[in-house]
Amino acid sequence: MDSCNCIEPQWPPDDLLMKYQYISDFFIALAYFSIPLELIYFVKKSAVFPYRWVLVQFGAFIVLCGATHLINLWTFTMHTRTVAMVMTTAKVFTAVVSCATALMLVHIIPDLLSVKTRELFLKNKAAELDREMGLIRTQEETGRHVRMLTHEIRSTLDRHTILKTTLVELGRTLALEECALWMPTRTGLELQLSYTLRQQNPVGYTVPIHLPVINQVFSSSHAVKISPKCPVARIRPAGKYMPGEVVAVRVPLLHLSNFQINDWPELSTKRYALMVLMLPSDSARQWHVHELELVEVVADQVAVALSHAAILEESMRARDLLMEQNVALDLARREAETAIRARNDFLAVMNHEMRTPMHAIIALSSLLQETELTPEQRLMVETILKSSNLLSTLINDVLDLSRLEDGSLQLDLGTFNLFAVFREVLNLIKPIASVKKLHVSLNLAPDLPEYAIGDEKRLMQTILNVVGNAVKFSKEGSISITAFVAKSELLRDSRTPEFFPVPSDNHFYLRVQVKDSGVGISPQDIPKLFTKFAQTQSTATRNSGGSGLGLAICKRFVNLMEGHIWIESEGLGKGCTAIFMVKLGIPERSNEPKLPFMPKVPTNHGPTAFPGLKVLVMDENGVSRMVTKGLLVRLGCDVTMVSSSEECLRVVSHEHKVVFMDVCVPGMDGYEVAIRINEKFTKRHERPVIVALTGNTDKVTKENCMRVGMDGIILKPVSLDKMRSVLSDLLEHRVLFEAI
Amino acid sequence: MDVVNQLQRQFIDYSASLHREGFLDDQFTQLQKLQDDNSPDFVVEVASLFFEDCEKLINNMARALEQQQGVDFKQVDASVHQLKGSSSSIGAMRVKDVCIAFRSFCEAQNREGCLRCLQQVTHEYSLLKNKLQTLFRLQQQILAAGGSIPVVE
């Protein structure tokens, strides 16, 4: 048997150890072959496994190991050299693959480990996200609650509803046991329980405001957990249960005055209310952070809502006040209007109704004077006349004064002779003065212009009044009247600091001083002199009569003339001096924009003043036409008469020097005729002078006449003298502008 | 001469009474002043013209106011305006015053008022006509007796 080239195993195969080895090898091979099968099966099942190549390697390694052990089985008995060769090859291969696998695993195992770490990490992350989700959800819920609460709170502007709603909604949202609001009292030293959730009518518990726990809550803008035992939390009557957790938050009470437009108030307000919230006592609930945040937000919203309500209340109160004031003002205005209307009616009545009988009385008394009377009768008539003159003056004065005060009085400016005014005053006052044996002297400065522009009538009235007063209050002595042009240094009088006259080229200031040696005036009475109806109390003045209006009217006239009037006196018995300054215009011939005025005295010519003057008269009314013709014929004119405007235009020629036309002609306007005539005669010296004859001289008629280029207006009815003077003026100046 | 004086005095008194009673005013005096040797009958002519005018205008107004449907107040107003003009030219004061009132009624379109005024105007006019005719007769008598008509200032 040696020649079979077999290899003998070292140990006999029947040895027990050999037998065990044989069995073990068999099972090893079995296991090693089944593992890869399992691997392949499971890997095929899961598609995810990334390390296929490793598996293949591993599988190869296992298979070869298994093969090795399998082949080892044959080496237990006698085996040929081929088997040994196969065995050796298998072992070599196995060695190679296993080394390769070992090397591979060095790379692979850290990777596998890191996979595990990543898995752990992802799990943590997921847990965290879950937690955050939970948080967000609770926040969103809180937000929803807040929105709903705010909506409820802000849907009303009534303070009580706001607060009640707040408590109710909070109670519902947070499932509170009790919720209460403590408001500061008026004094600000205590907090009073104002609203609660469960109790209907909170009896007025009060708590002093300076408790440490309250201070703590007030000083923080967050909700603060407080002990259930502190006084603000002891709202419910003491029960058996342990009270739940309590939280308190401050509610700022913003005042109206805190709202400036430009800077929002820092919460420097001192007034807070306290809101106390209690969880149910039998649950083990705790205050969560999000619930506290909810409470804080609600507290702020309540503050805003309350301030809105306060603003609304305030504005409603202001509006009511304004309405009341409005009504009162309206009433006052209507009363004032009624008063003004009553006064105007009264004045109107006074004006007409009182003047008419006055006029009759005065006229008839003067007529009576002219007749034959016995001396007693004459005395009686004179007394009647004097009294009625006085009364007439009084009426005029009062009416003048009220018109002056109205502001409706306007000066009638005109050129007048200043010297003549003074002379007239002197003439008027001389009789009375000589009766009282007073000596009156007039001094006119040499530089005083002879003519001036101003209101002649009222200036005379003023001078007369002042001089009259001087005469009235002097029993003996002399009166001196001085008039001169006020120079600029003298204009600024230290006694009248508020009067600053400024002379100019067209104006000068007339200064008049009236000095008398009469009873004088005491210094304390001087300011009252110019007030209406005030008179000094001495008997002398009482008897002199007068209404006390004179000086008041003078003052107003002087003011209208942009001047100043005042009285100086050294005391009772020392006489007094009345001084006034008024602004008058200086007339210049070239400077006058207005049309020249008619001279006051009509020149008296002979009956045939205008021989052969060709005149055209246009009047529709036969009678009035005839009268006008009669007038003109009497004055020597050659009169052509026409009764219609067409005829007038046809007949008018350059021979006619004057055309009189009635402008009240219906149909074609007299004005149009004037325009046509103006058009017809282009050269001014060929054109006849056009004069309107009319029954009314209101402003409109005057303006219309001026507008169409008429040269004058005459008011019907015309007297002979008037016609004469009108014609002479027209022919001299070629322009008239009004003759009444 | 006594007759003339008497007549003249009568004339003056009558004239004065007319003025006093308001039938005539200053304008009539002016008219009288215009009468001279060149136009000796000036006043009479003017007066006759006035009476003619008056009658015509009064008739116009009466016709216009009689209209049952729609009185034309404008026409009435125009007539009153004419009448007022004429009466003021001659110096017929009372007629003129009535015309003024008449005009305001016309403006207010008050038919009743207008009718009343028309009656008044007619009345005044007839009165005045009688008086003036008396005056003119006196004048004629004076002239016939050889005197001259005194000027009343």
Side-chain angles (χ1 to χ4, degrees):
Chain A
M1 301 269 96
D2 293 24
S3 60
C4 70
N5 210 10
C6 306
I7 301 178
E8 282 255 351
Q10 284 146 323
W11 299 88
D14 299 322
D15 199 8
L16 194 65
L17 280 167
M18 289 298 117
K19 277 206 175 73
Y20 280 128
Q21 275 199 354
Y22 186 86
I23 295 170
S24 316
D25 271 335
F26 175 72
F27 276 111
I28 288 173
L30 194 65
Y32 275 21
F33 277 126
S34 55
I35 287 176
L37 288 173
E38 284 170 13
L39 272 174
I40 290 170
Y41 174 70
F42 284 116
V43 166
K44 272 220 159 42
K45 260 203 143 181
S46 88
V48 209
F49 201 74
Y51 297 110
R52 286 239 158 117
W53 175 242
V54 172
L55 267 180
V56 167
Q57 231 179 350
F58 204 62
F61 161 64
I62 296 267
V63 163
L64 283 172
C65 273
T68 314
H69 281 285
L70 191 65
I71 297 172
N72 210 21
L73 285 179
W74 271 268
T75 56
F76 284 106
T77 57
M78 191 116 64
H79 51 282
T80 57
R81 204 166 188 88
T82 345
V83 171
M85 280 293 286
V86 168
M87 176 80 197
T88 319
T89 328
K91 269 204 177 144
V92 166
F93 271 130
T94 312
V96 165
V97 171
S98 42
C99 285
T101 313
L103 283 173
M104 191 66 65
L105 277 177
V106 171
H107 288 288
I108 301 274
I109 290 187
D111 270 352
L112 283 175
L113 281 178
S114 79
V115 165
K116 213 59 193 157
T117 340
R118 238 180 286 154
E119 191 197 317
L120 208 64
F121 174 71
L122 281 169
K123 225 191 282 183
N124 281 344
K125 243 318 190 241
E128 214 179 284
L129 278 171
D130 260 337
R131 252 181 292 131
E132 274 183 15
M133 264 296 280
L135 218 65
I136 289 174
R137 215 175 285 135
T138 40
Q139 269 183 350
E140 205 239 300
E141 230 175 80
T142 314
R144 209 159 27 88
H145 280 143
V146 166
R147 268 196 302 280
M148 190 242 324
L149 263 165
T150 313
H151 176 73
E152 291 295 323
I153 292 172
R154 300 275 278 263
S155 66
T156 165
L157 279 172
D158 173 46
R159 166 194 268 256
H160 296 283
T161 323
I162 289 173
L163 292 170
K164 257 303 189 198
T165 320
T166 314
L167 297 180
V168 164
E169 291 297 326
L170 264 181
R172 218 164 34 126
T173 313
L174 299 173
L176 295 174
E177 165 87 13
E178 178 61 87
C179 187
L181 190 68
W182 298 77
M183 302 279 277
T185 56
R186 206 161 291 255
T187 57
L189 295 175
E190 294 183 324
L191 284 178
Q192 188 182 25
L193 183 61
S194 317
Y195 302 92
T196 55
L197 180 58
R198 308 279 173 206
Q199 291 170 307
Q200 286 310 97
N201 293 319
V203 183
Y205 294 131
T206 54
V207 156
I209 207 170
H210 290 297
L211 292 180
V213 63
I214 297 180
N215 278 337
Q216 185 197 7
V217 177
F218 279 179
S219 55
S220 146
S221 63
H222 296 291
V224 175
K225 290 209 185 81
I226 59 173
S227 148
K229 297 218 179 21
C230 80
V232 288
R234 265 199 253 129
I235 306 167
R236 298 295 215 84
K240 315 177 238 178
Y241 303 105
M242 254 307 274
E245 289 211 343
V246 182
V247 144
V249 70
R250 74 176 184 185
V251 179
L253 296 174
L254 299 170
H255 270 255
L256 211 58
S257 54
N258 284 334
F259 286 95
Q260 318 279 333
I261 308 291
N262 289 328
D263 44 275
W264 288 99
E266 306 293 329
L267 282 180
S268 57
T269 55
K270 298 288 182 259
R271 284 167 45 99
Y272 297 108
L274 191 72
M275 197 153 57
V276 175
L277 307 108
M278 280 194 270
L279 287 178
S281 42
D282 45 357
S283 77
R285 264 180 63 189
Q286 295 256 329
W287 281 101
H288 297 275
V289 172
H290 69 271
E291 287 170 344
L292 293 180
E293 282 174 1
L294 179 79
V295 166
E296 284 157 26
V297 169
V298 168
D300 277 335
Q301 289 299 321
V302 166
V304 171
L306 280 179
S307 53
H308 282 186
I311 291 175
L312 182 72
E313 267 176 42
E314 192 70 38
S315 75
M316 306 246 351
R317 212 156 33 86
R319 190 195 63 170
D320 285 337
L321 199 65
L322 274 174
M323 275 208 316
E324 269 177 42
Q325 280 183 338
N326 233 6
V327 169
L329 272 174
D330 212 22
L331 192 65
R333 185 178 56 94
R334 261 180 287 134
E335 282 180 4
E337 276 178 4
T338 323
I340 288 177
R341 247 175 300 147
R343 188 201 64 174
N344 286 342
D345 287 340
F346 170 70
L347 278 180
V349 165
M350 256 197 101
N351 207 358
H352 182 68
E353 299 296 333
M354 284 183 67
R355 281 202 219 256
T356 317
M358 274 320 304
H359 183 66
I361 296 174
I362 293 177
L364 292 174
S365 324
S366 36
L367 276 178
L368 196 57
Q369 262 188 333
E370 306 283 318
T371 62
E372 286 184 28
L373 300 166
T374 71
E376 310 165 331
Q377 286 175 325
R378 190 161 290 277
L379 202 58
M380 286 191 243
V381 171
E382 274 172 10
T383 316
I384 294 176
L385 204 51
K386 239 193 298 186
S387 316
S388 32
N389 272 331
L390 264 169
L391 189 57
S392 173
T393 318
L394 178 62
I395 294 175
N396 286 341
D397 276 357
V398 170
L399 287 172
D400 258 350
L401 194 62
S402 20
R403 268 200 306 154
L404 274 172
E405 299 202 305
D406 240 354
S408 58
L409 192 72
Q410 281 172 330
L411 294 177
D412 292 326
L413 296 176
T415 315
F416 62 93
N417 189 329
L418 198 56
F419 291 5
V421 167
F422 281 106
R423 274 198 292 269
E424 181 92 21
V425 168
L426 206 59
N427 287 340
L428 283 170
I429 213 71
K430 262 216 167 82
I432 310 177
S434 60
V435 161
K436 284 182 115 171
K437 300 218 181 6
L438 296 166
H439 178 249
V440 182
S441 66
L442 172 65
N443 241 328
L444 298 175
D447 61 350
L448 201 62
E450 190 180 341
Y451 286 93
I453 301 180
D455 190 337
E456 179 188 11
K457 185 173 100 165
R458 298 204 167 98
L459 181 63
M460 173 131 64
Q461 218 175 331
T462 312
I463 305 176
L464 200 53
N465 202 307
V466 168
V467 173
N469 275 351
V471 168
K472 203 170 19 163
F473 292 108
S474 304
K475 288 213 246 298
E476 59 190 4
S478 66
I479 317 261
S480 81
I481 311 173
T482 357
F484 50 93
V485 175
K487 299 287 182 292
S488 34
E489 318 83 63
L490 294 180
L491 283 177
R492 287 168 195 249
D493 210 306
S494 56
R495 282 161 294 205
T496 57
E498 65 276 3
F499 179 55
F500 291 121
V502 179
S504 66
D505 283 336
N506 297 339
H507 297 103
F508 70 98
Y509 278 88
L510 169 71
R511 184 175 159 125
V512 175
Q513 282 173 202
V514 178
K515 189 166 159 57
D516 71 51
S517 56
V519 292
I521 305 173
S522 61
Q524 57 258 45
D525 282 335
I526 289 187
K528 285 191 283 175
L529 283 171
F530 292 100
T531 51
K532 289 189 292 181
F533 307 117
Q535 297 196 51
T536 54
Q537 290 303 315
S538 60
T539 47
T541 57
R542 281 224 153 261
N543 292 335
S544 330
S547 58
L549 281 179
L551 278 177
I553 294 186
C554 283
K555 185 169 163 83
R556 286 190 173 73
F557 283 154
V558 166
N559 283 340
L560 273 176
M561 293 193 234
E562 298 178 50
H564 192 73
I565 180 171
W566 69 98
I567 294 195
E568 296 165 12
S569 170
E570 301 191 10
L572 285 167
K574 300 214 177 82
C576 69
T577 314
I579 309 171
F580 69 88
M581 285 200 276
V582 289
K583 187 175 180 190
L584 296 172
I586 302 174
E588 284 183 32
R589 278 219 68 92
S590 53
N591 203 349
E592 224 158 70
K594 298 207 197 107
L595 298 165
F597 287 86
M598 279 182 63
K600 294 287 172 182
V601 179
T603 48
N604 238 325
H605 299 163
T608 56
F610 312 101
L613 181 70
K614 272 184 98 73
V615 175
L616 184 64
V617 172
M618 181 187 97
D619 193 333
E620 206 191 48
N621 187 313
V623 174
S624 129
R625 203 164 54 224
M626 196 155 168
V627 170
T628 317
K629 176 181 175 183
L631 281 172
L632 293 167
V633 161
R634 183 83 159 143
L635 293 171
C637 306
D638 176 5
V639 182
T640 321
M641 294 211 293
V642 292
S643 58
S644 73
S645 351
E646 291 91 2
E647 220 186 312
C648 174
L649 286 172
R650 230 175 335 118
V651 169
V652 75
S653 73
H654 63 267
E655 284 177 346
H656 294 109
K657 292 281 177 268
V658 188
V659 174
F660 287 98
M661 59 173 68
D662 185 326
V663 293
C664 306
V665 175
M668 188 147 144
D669 233 337
Y671 304 125
E672 252 205 73
V673 179
I675 299 176
R676 295 281 183 82
I677 294 182
N678 268 327
E679 286 170 11
K680 194 165 168 185
F681 298 95
T682 46
K683 294 210 196 74
R684 203 174 146 80
H685 65 265
E686 274 184 359
R687 188 173 71 88
V689 177
I690 308 178
V691 179
L693 279 172
T694 172
N696 52 337
T697 45
D698 56 15
K699 243 177 133 212
V700 176
T701 321
K702 250 193 283 191
E703 275 170 12
N704 284 338
C705 290
M706 277 174 92
R707 194 168 38 91
V708 299
M710 294 206 185
D711 303 297
I713 304 187
I714 307 182
L715 180 65
K716 286 204 278 192
V718 194
S719 71
L720 189 62
D721 289 324
K722 189 160 47 165
M723 185 60 91
R724 193 185 291 134
S725 45
V726 161
L727 274 178
S728 60
D729 260 321
L730 272 176
L731 295 170
E732 208 177 294
H733 301 133
R734 270 201 81 86
V735 79
L736 169 60
F737 233 89
E738 192 176 329
I740 303 193
Chain B
M1 274 302 128
D2 276 333
V3 174
V4 175
N5 279 344
Q6 212 185 10
L7 284 172
Q8 282 177 335
R9 198 159 324 135
Q10 246 186 317
F11 178 79
I12 294 176
D13 285 337
Y14 196 62
S15 217
S17 81
L18 284 183
H19 278 271
R20 215 177 21 244
E21 286 165 28
F23 283 101
L24 298 172
D25 65 13
D26 203 36
Q27 181 66 9
F28 192 73
T29 323
Q30 294 286 332
L31 285 185
Q32 284 180 316
K33 276 197 206 158
L34 293 178
Q35 185 163 288
D36 58 9
D37 296 322
N38 293 338
S39 46
D41 293 321
F42 181 66
V43 182
V44 177
E45 279 171 14
V46 175
S48 335
L49 197 59
F50 173 67
F51 293 141
E52 270 175 40
D53 240 5
C54 249
E55 267 166 46
K56 197 172 58 169
L57 287 171
I58 289 178
N59 283 339
N60 276 353
M61 287 193 274
R63 246 200 321 264
L65 283 172
E66 254 164 47
Q67 302 280 354
Q68 282 309 337
Q69 58 282 61
V71 177
D72 187 357
F73 281 104
K74 273 206 167 57
Q75 202 190 0
V76 180
D77 190 56
S79 304
V80 177
H81 181 73
Q82 289 268 34
L83 190 57
K84 177 163 159 249
S86 308
S87 51
S88 58
S89 299
I90 201 179
M93 202 164 72
R94 279 160 75 138
V95 178
K96 185 183 74 175
D97 287 339
V98 176
C99 284
I100 296 176
F102 202 151
R103 279 203 90 186
S104 54
F105 280 121
C106 278
E107 259 171 66
Q109 308 214 339
N110 182 343
R111 190 164 167 268
E112 293 305 315
C114 285
L115 282 171
R116 263 201 315 265
C117 278
L118 183 63
Q119 263 186 341
Q120 244 182 310
V121 160
T122 318
H123 176 68
E124 289 296 332
Y125 154 75
S126 5
L127 272 179
L128 183 67
K129 187 168 176 186
N130 284 338
K131 300 256 182 215
L132 280 178
Q133 280 172 341
T134 317
L135 193 71
F136 293 149
R137 234 194 341 259
L138 268 174
Q139 274 187 315
Q140 300 283 46
Q141 282 176 334
I142 294 176
L143 287 173
S148 60
I149 301 175
V151 178
V152 181
E153 285 298 326

